[in-house]
Amino acid sequence: MNIAIIGTGYVGLVSGACFAEMGVNVTCVDVDKQKIDNLANGVVPIYEPNLTDMVIKNHSAGRLHFSTDLKSCLSDVEVLFCAVGTPPDEDGAADLRYVLDVARTVGQNIDKYILFVTKSTVPVGTARKVKAVIAEELSRRGVDVEFDVASNPEFLKEGAAIKDFMSPDRIVVGTESQRARQIMDKLYKPFTLNHYRMIYTDIPSAEMIKYASNAMLATRISFMNEIANLCDLVGADVNMVRQGIGSDSRIGNKFLYPGCGYGGSCFPKDVKALIRTASDNGYVMSILQAVENVNNRQKSILFDKLCLVFDGDIKDKTIAVWGLAFKPETDDMREATSLVVIDKLLAAGCSVKVYDPIAMDECRRRIGNSVMYADNMYDAAEGADAILLITEWKEFRMPSWSRVRQIMKTPVIIDGRNIYDKNEMSENGFVYKHI
Ligand SMILES: NC(=O)c1ccc[n+]([C@@H]2O[C@H](COP(=O)([O-])OP(=O)(O)OC[C@H]3O[C@@H](n4cnc5c(N)ncnc54)[C@H](O)[C@@H]3O)[C@@H](O)[C@H]2O)c1
């Protein structure tokens, strides 16, 4: 089968590589020429475990192609996946400009059947708009070409994207067309051989499932952050509380980790977009507004704890930041807590030394030389008044505390992900604060 994937970012590139791995003939299209040229030369612009090998292998095998020219690949493809970005506009609504651009190009150029599948996260009603735009362009041309639309939201997690795509918990497809359903069944069959996980719904429900999933996950995080903050005030340990509540099978133990706030390209934007969809329909999403407020406050918690340790006197202190990416195993810093913390530290007159195993270039691209870039975690800790642990990369989990203690100016560790043991920290002579 020949397919095209439009938008070669985290979702588009991973989807393209995984479909090609299963034998599908895939063309990944993007408007970013530099990105497409690099990919054709085996240079993958993002960090995602195993992605580079899979891209190079399938490109060499002739199953994965890269192009900037959507028009000319349309004549060869039966299915088009739209995986372009849907960033929030100034009111928090998902900006559908890029999705509708793709729909317009499709309507202006197809001359045989195509199934237009939206993989980008888009609000309820988008498929209807896509269908209308394609139909309008076809009627402008005075041609009658059959096409279908489907919604196929993507649930991959950055850092485990290939694993998630190759072995999904479920594949959700919203469509009204039997033909579209047959095509999607065929395309996804290799991924569901062991266990059939296709869920077919109407289109609005498929669009809503993606937002409701992310909103639920964000809610669990903010809920646990509130419980953790209260634990702090009343002398309870949220790690024990987490185990206690997570062993209730109705609650389950996943996604109950308190921390210094969620970031990334999805939760913040999708929570905002859902709040906005509700308000457009005259409804107030009270829970999600609270989820967002709690998260915004939580992103400052490490800074607040640091100020408490030093009685507010942090001007001219040197602070080491361990971890910049919004989560481990990615270089993605969109909405990362590290950016909020660094901003606050710089505004308070601190010098900041940062280290991340993968996201250093991304950090340089975003904030340039406003911070110092260390070669490794110990280099960052050298001469520091405090270390703030923001991203729980594996290499941060078992440092040589005696070495860290020796090279720091003052032994203060503020752990934003609760990965260290408070007894061990005090035995090693650290002032240790966690969530
Ligand atoms: N990143 C994730 O973990 C994740 C997970 C699930 C769903 N999603 C959703 O998938 C969508 C894409 O997310 P992403 O993280 O891959 O975004 P991204 O920013 O990494 O990639 C989007 C790509 O689309 C390209 N693009 C924009 N307009 C285009 C056009 N008209 N034609 C061709 N290419 C175009 C951009 O150049 C960019 O390379 C979003 O709606 C997002 O919410 C993301």
Side-chain angles (χ1 to χ4, degrees):
M1 197 188 287
N2 291 342
I3 69 170
I5 301 191
I6 320 306
T8 312
Y10 284 87
V11 168
L13 186 58
V14 169
S15 310
C18 291
F19 277 127
E21 182 76 10
M22 291 297 189
V24 179
N25 191 37
V26 183
T27 304
C28 283
V29 179
D30 204 287
V31 285
D32 183 339
K33 183 168 183 313
Q34 179 77 57
K35 189 184 269 191
I36 290 299
D37 288 347
N38 283 342
L39 282 164
N41 290 315
V43 179
V44 173
I46 52 172
Y47 176 78
E48 186 59 49
N50 304 323
L51 181 60
T52 302
D53 288 351
M54 201 184 256
V55 166
I56 292 173
K57 180 178 132 195
N58 284 286
H59 182 57
S60 315
R63 288 187 297 263
L64 183 60
H65 319 273
F66 298 102
S67 169
T68 52
D69 186 4
L70 171 55
K71 277 184 212 164
S72 57
C73 75
L74 281 174
S75 53
D76 294 328
V77 299
E78 190 177 354
V79 187
L80 174 149
F81 283 89
C82 181
V84 297
T86 48
D89 66 16
E90 61 279 7
D91 301 327
D95 184 347
L96 296 180
R97 186 177 352 168
Y98 309 110
V99 173
L100 298 180
D101 276 353
V102 176
R104 201 161 296 111
T105 309
V106 168
Q108 285 165 350
N109 293 283
I110 45 167
D111 48 24
K112 64 176 183 48
Y113 175 86
I114 201 164
L115 168 59
F116 187 110
V117 183
T118 306
K119 208 171 230 327
S120 305
T121 302
V122 293
V124 175
T126 303
R128 203 168 16 83
K129 289 184 186 159
V130 164
K131 199 171 172 178
V133 167
I134 298 175
E136 191 184 301
E137 291 301 333
L138 290 174
S139 108
R140 213 191 294 278
R141 288 165 58 202
V143 295
D144 184 18
V145 183
E146 234 191 301
F147 70 96
D148 281 312
V149 296
S151 162
N152 172 219
E154 182 50 57
F155 298 98
L156 61 78
K157 299 183 287 295
E158 283 177 29
I162 301 236
K163 191 171 147 282
D164 287 349
F165 198 94
M166 294 304 261
S167 185
D169 288 340
R170 77 300 207 189
I171 295 158
V172 173
V173 178
T175 184
E176 290 150 1
S177 147
Q178 199 52 36
R179 181 172 181 179
R181 184 171 170 154
Q182 276 165 4
I183 293 171
M184 294 299 271
D185 258 343
K186 188 170 158 196
L187 200 48
Y188 276 116
K189 191 154 184 241
F191 301 90
T192 58
L193 281 182
N194 295 335
H195 171 51
Y196 190 78
R197 305 180 197 89
M198 300 292 286
I199 299 176
Y200 283 99
T201 67
D202 55 64
I203 293 177
S205 305
E207 290 171 335
M208 181 57 92
I209 285 169
K210 173 66 191 177
Y211 281 103
S213 299
N214 277 356
M216 168 65 99
L217 295 171
T219 302
R220 280 173 79 104
I221 294 174
S222 277
F223 173 80
M224 283 311 290
N225 284 337
E226 287 235 281
I227 294 290
N229 295 343
L230 185 58
C231 283
D232 221 5
L233 294 173
V234 298
D237 181 337
V238 72
N239 293 319
M240 295 179 187
V241 173
R242 174 176 58 76
Q243 286 170 22
I245 63 176
S247 53
D248 182 329
S249 60
R250 291 168 304 176
I251 296 172
N253 56 15
K254 302 240 173 82
F255 253 80
L256 286 184
Y257 291 85
C260 48
Y262 61 74
S265 68
C266 292
F267 290 178
K269 131 178 124 52
D270 294 349
V271 167
K272 267 195 183 60
L274 200 50
I275 291 173
R276 177 60 200 270
T277 299
S279 85
D280 286 350
N281 286 277
Y283 188 76
V284 178
M285 294 294 259
S286 314
I287 292 179
L288 290 188
Q289 283 176 345
V291 165
E292 202 180 30
N293 293 341
V294 169
N295 194 56
N296 290 338
R297 195 176 62 197
Q298 200 71 8
K299 284 183 167 178
S300 300
I301 200 159
L302 298 188
F303 179 81
D304 297 343
K305 284 180 187 283
L306 179 75
C307 290
L308 275 179
V309 170
F310 288 102
D311 285 330
D313 181 18
I314 61 166
K315 188 164 183 295
D316 298 327
K317 299 273 185 237
T318 299
I319 309 299
V321 169
W322 283 2
L324 298 164
F326 87 92
K327 67 173 181 177
E329 301 296 338
T330 181
D331 58 353
D332 196 345
M333 286 182 67
R334 288 179 281 188
E335 304 270 347
T337 295
S338 61
L339 292 170
V340 175
V341 175
I342 289 170
D343 248 9
K344 284 185 165 280
L345 292 171
L346 293 175
C350 299
S351 300
V352 183
K353 285 170 87 180
V354 303
Y355 174 68
D356 185 286
I358 295 289
M360 299 292 265
D361 286 345
E362 179 60 10
C363 188
R364 269 193 204 94
R365 191 183 72 75
R366 285 175 175 272
I367 60 171
N369 288 331
S370 54
V371 296
M372 291 173 276
Y373 293 88
D375 292 336
N376 55 53
M377 60 199 276
Y378 298 108
D379 185 22
E382 182 98 43
D385 292 285
I387 294 171
L388 306 189
L389 181 282
I390 295 185
T391 319
E392 68 277 32
W393 285 94
K394 287 198 185 75
E395 71 176 69
F396 296 144
R397 293 192 187 182
M398 270 209 325
S400 160
W401 289 122
S402 54
R403 183 172 169 195
V404 174
R405 176 82 180 76
Q406 236 170 27
I407 57 181
M408 287 184 79
K409 191 165 162 212
T410 45
V412 176
I413 309 281
I414 305 196
D415 175 358
R417 301 291 172 190
N418 289 1
I419 62 173
Y420 302 129
D421 180 274
K422 61 182 174 196
N423 296 326
E424 188 189 355
M425 300 308 289
S426 72
E427 280 159 19
N428 279 289
F430 287 99
V431 173
Y432 175 67
K433 301 288 171 196
H434 60 293
I435 305 290

